[in-house]
Amino acid sequence: MRIGTIDGLLGEVAGARVLDVGCGNGRNGRWLAERGADVVGVDLAAAVLDDVRPTLPPSMSVRALDVLRDPLPPGPFHLVYDSGCFHHVAPHRRPTYLERVLPLLAAGGRYGIVAFSQERQPAPSDTEILTSGDTAGGSAFLLEDLRRIFSGLQPMELRGVRDDVEGTFGADFLNAGLFAALP
Ligand SMILES: C[S@@+](CC[C@H](N)C(=O)[O-])C[C@H]1O[C@@H](n2cnc3c(N)ncnc32)[C@H](O)[C@@H]1O
């Protein structure tokens, strides 16, 4: 099994154990499962998971849970991937997310995140969110914010999501980060 950056965010994923955090309709986990990964997707949206479950490849399962409160699937995972969940976590709950999710990584495993980009589409600051109590559709992060928030991991690549890769969802208002856990 090997996960690494080759000419994109991820290279070979066959055989990897993957946790898809906030998997929604499972599109990312499905992509990984179809390339040989063993994927568990977790999401609050039980009804969405019920709809998608019968359509999933055999190597992907999904569980309805709150990543901030409920018992999580046991690690270690070679890859933990979060596309669009972390930016919905309120600022004061981010430490809870980090304390619960990052220990699930295998030594040398990868953590990938896609989140709203503060450089590309500015959103309310943490102070504004905390004083108003309104997450206003999600937080946005500078690439430097991602580097700081995930400073317990080794940054491998931090950049705006590309919008020129055919067959991928390359929205130009997103940032992507790939980090490695200590070996
Ligand atoms: C923007 S959607 C992204 C879905 C999917 N990852 C994708 O890229 O298409 C964010 C997802 O995170 C889920 N989510 C938000 N907070 C969560 C939490 N605390 N625990 C589990 N899932 C959560 C939502 O239910 C939603 O499906």
Side-chain angles (χ1 to χ4, degrees), residues 4 20 33 38 41 45 55 57 74-75 80 87 90 107-108 115 130 136-138 141 144 152 154 159 161 170 173:
D20 184 355
D38 184 12
T55 73
V80 175
H87 61 202
L130 289 169
F141 302 96
E144 278 314 307
Q154 184 72 32
R159 60 171 169 79
V161 167
F173 50 82

Side-chain angles (χ1 to χ4, degrees), residues 96-144:
T96 300
Y97 174 103
L98 298 175
E99 285 163 18
R100 292 172 62 87
V101 171
L102 298 190
L104 299 177
L105 279 169
R110 302 291 191 261
Y111 176 80
I113 181 166
V114 173
F116 293 134
S117 163
Q118 187 73 0
E119 293 95 340
R120 302 169 120 189
Q121 182 170 285
S125 68
D126 288 355
T127 305
E128 288 167 318
I129 289 172
L130 289 169
T131 49
S132 69
D134 180 1
T135 56
S139 299
F141 302 96
L142 298 170
L143 292 172
E144 278 314 307

Side-chain angles (χ1 to χ4, degrees), residues 9-181:
L9 274 179
L10 295 176
E12 180 59 58
V13 296
R17 271 199 89 217
V18 176
L19 178 65
D20 184 355
V21 180
C23 63
N25 70 8
R27 68 194 176 100
N28 298 301
R30 180 191 301 274
W31 189 93
L32 291 157
E34 286 171 354
R35 284 155 181 80
D38 184 12
V39 182
V40 185
V42 297
D43 202 288
L44 279 175
V48 173
L49 301 187
D50 287 345
D51 282 349
V52 81
R53 199 173 276 112
T55 73
L56 293 174
S59 62
M60 180 171 180
S61 61
V62 287
R63 293 194 207 169
L65 58 79
D66 182 343
V67 74
L68 300 175
R69 294 177 195 276
D70 295 320
L72 297 174
F77 291 95
H78 302 107
L79 170 65
V80 175
Y81 188 67
D82 180 324
S83 165
C85 181
F86 184 75
H87 61 202
H88 291 302
V89 173
H92 66 290
R93 304 303 309 281
R94 286 180 203 142
T96 300
Y97 174 103
L98 298 175
E99 285 163 18
R100 292 172 62 87
V101 171
L102 298 190
L104 299 177
L105 279 169
R110 302 291 191 261
Y111 176 80
I113 181 166
V114 173
F116 293 134
S117 163
Q118 187 73 0
E119 293 95 340
R120 302 169 120 189
Q121 182 170 285
S125 68
D126 288 355
T127 305
E128 288 167 318
I129 289 172
L130 289 169
T131 49
S132 69
D134 180 1
T135 56
S139 299
F141 302 96
L142 298 170
L143 292 172
E144 278 314 307
D145 293 332
L146 295 178
R147 188 187 298 276
R148 175 179 46 77
I149 291 168
F150 296 98
S151 61
L153 303 173
Q154 184 72 32
M156 297 182 72
E157 187 164 357
L158 286 155
R159 60 171 169 79
V161 167
R162 286 167 52 186
D163 59 4
D164 61 347
V165 184
E166 201 178 325
T168 68
F169 177 70
D172 63 4
F173 50 82
L174 298 169
N175 280 334
L178 183 66
F179 298 83

